[in-house]
Each structure stands twice: as structure tokens, then as C-alpha cells.
Amino acid sequence: QLRGYIVFWREWIPVNNMYQWEEKGWEHVDGSQSTFAVTGLRVGVPTRFKFGVLADTVGGFGTETYVDDYTNTGEPQGQVEDVEVTSAGPDALNVTWTPLALERRNGRLLGYRVRYCRVAVGPVDSCPDACTQTQEVNASGEETTSHQLRDLSPFTTYRVQVVAFN
């Protein structure tokens, strides 16, 4: 027999240049309720929260179910750092990078866009870094740190850029 639900939430906070979950609150909710509003969350800057709910029954507590989300999300700020491009054969390149720092993500990242283009070959007086036909692929996941570009033209110079998106 259902007696109610326990709803709880945690905030992802910086501690000594690392992050950890800190308990922020919990409430016992009547079993007849299907919604619950969590108030008092920090919304001035994007903040990551983990919300959980578990059933409270006469026989004990059920298994927790979690949802991770952010308040006040926006576009990621700054550039992805430590982008490295290495050959993976005559028609492929491996692209690696360091994940964007948590405080610059402005919410949960969906992944990274890897933009690439062939550098145009032309007369000396033309722009040496001009690109022809920029292409883009998505590397999904906020902790993704690499992607392989395939089916490229051999003996061709490419420009590569990695940007985070949410």
C-alpha cells in the first residue's frame, strides 16, 4: 500500500577544484499527488541539480528514480580547448579535445559540433586560409572527447573547429 513519495534534490557544487553532489532538500509528498514544485533553487547562474523520487510503501521504500537537469541554461561560453588533429590514414582524421569546463557549459551539453573544411588552394595573393564548403558533424554526449572524420580527400589540408552545444 502506497503511503506517499519522497522527493529529494541535490546541487552539483565546486569543492577544491572538483565537483560533488550536495544534499539540498527533501519532502514527503502525499501518494495522491502526481506533481511537486521544488522551490528555492539557485537560478542566477546555470546550476546543475539532480532530482530523485522514491515510493514510500507499508513494506518499505522503492527504488530511486533520478532526473538530472539545469536551471537557467544558455549557450556554452568560451572555446573548446586542446583540440588536436592527427592522421588516421589517407582519408581520415582523428580529432580530440578537452571537454568544456563545467562552469562554462551553461547547462547540460548535448555534445560537440566538429566543423571542418578543405583549405582552398589558389594564387599566392589569395587568402591562404580560405575554406571551401564547411561541413559539420555532431559528436553526442557532454563528456565526449573525440571524433573521427572519414571519407576525406587524400593529400588535402583541412581546417577543423570544435564547438560545444546544448
Side-chain angles (χ1 to χ4, degrees), residues 153-165:
S153 299
F155 308 109
T156 304
T157 301
Y158 284 86
R159 180 185 306 147
V160 177
Q161 178 188 33
V162 180
V163 293
F165 71 94

Side-chain angles (χ1 to χ4, degrees), residues 98-113:
T98 300
L100 193 63
L102 288 172
E103 62 272 8
R104 297 170 70 201
R105 294 181 183 187
N106 286 337
R108 177 181 301 225
L109 293 183
L110 297 177
Y112 295 87
R113 287 194 178 94

Side-chain angles (χ1 to χ4, degrees), residues 92-142:
L93 294 172
N94 285 328
V95 183
T96 61
W97 58 89
T98 300
L100 193 63
L102 288 172
E103 62 272 8
R104 297 170 70 201
R105 294 181 183 187
N106 286 337
R108 177 181 301 225
L109 293 183
L110 297 177
Y112 295 87
R113 287 194 178 94
V114 180
R115 296 181 179 140
Y116 62 101
C117 64
R118 284 194 273 185
V119 175
V121 177
V124 176
D125 60 343
S126 70
C127 180
D129 290 332
C131 271
T132 60
Q133 210 169 17
T134 299
Q135 297 181 36
E136 183 175 283
V137 294
N138 289 339
S140 298
E142 65 181 328

Side-chain angles (χ1 to χ4, degrees), residues 6-158:
I6 304 294
V7 177
F8 54 94
W9 53 100
R10 300 173 179 142
E11 183 178 343
W12 193 237
I13 62 164
V15 176
N16 297 326
N17 293 325
M18 299 181 71
Y19 283 81
Q20 69 183 32
W21 290 110
E22 179 179 278
E23 297 289 335
K24 289 308 220 178
W26 66 274
E27 289 287 333
H28 187 275
V29 179
D30 185 82
S32 64
Q33 288 183 248
S34 60
T35 62
F36 178 77
V38 177
T39 60
L41 300 178
R42 185 162 54 124
V43 296
V45 295
T47 305
R48 185 177 182 181
F49 286 92
K50 181 179 280 194
F51 302 93
V53 64
L54 58 97
D56 177 12
T57 69
V58 175
F61 295 107
T63 304
E64 302 96 349
T65 300
Y66 293 99
V67 174
D68 234 340
D69 210 349
Y70 285 83
T71 60
N72 194 32
T73 60
E75 290 295 313
Q77 296 176 342
Q79 296 180 350
V80 175
E81 297 178 350
D82 302 322
V83 176
E84 292 186 22
V85 180
T86 57
S87 175
D91 63 348
L93 294 172
N94 285 328
V95 183
T96 61
W97 58 89
T98 300
L100 193 63
L102 288 172
E103 62 272 8
R104 297 170 70 201
R105 294 181 183 187
N106 286 337
R108 177 181 301 225
L109 293 183
L110 297 177
Y112 295 87
R113 287 194 178 94
V114 180
R115 296 181 179 140
Y116 62 101
C117 64
R118 284 194 273 185
V119 175
V121 177
V124 176
D125 60 343
S126 70
C127 180
D129 290 332
C131 271
T132 60
Q133 210 169 17
T134 299
Q135 297 181 36
E136 183 175 283
V137 294
N138 289 339
S140 298
E142 65 181 328
E143 297 304 323
T144 301
T145 59
S146 66
H147 187 78
Q148 187 173 79
L149 301 174
R150 297 185 182 119
D151 301 321
L152 303 174
S153 299
F155 308 109
T156 304
T157 301
Y158 284 86

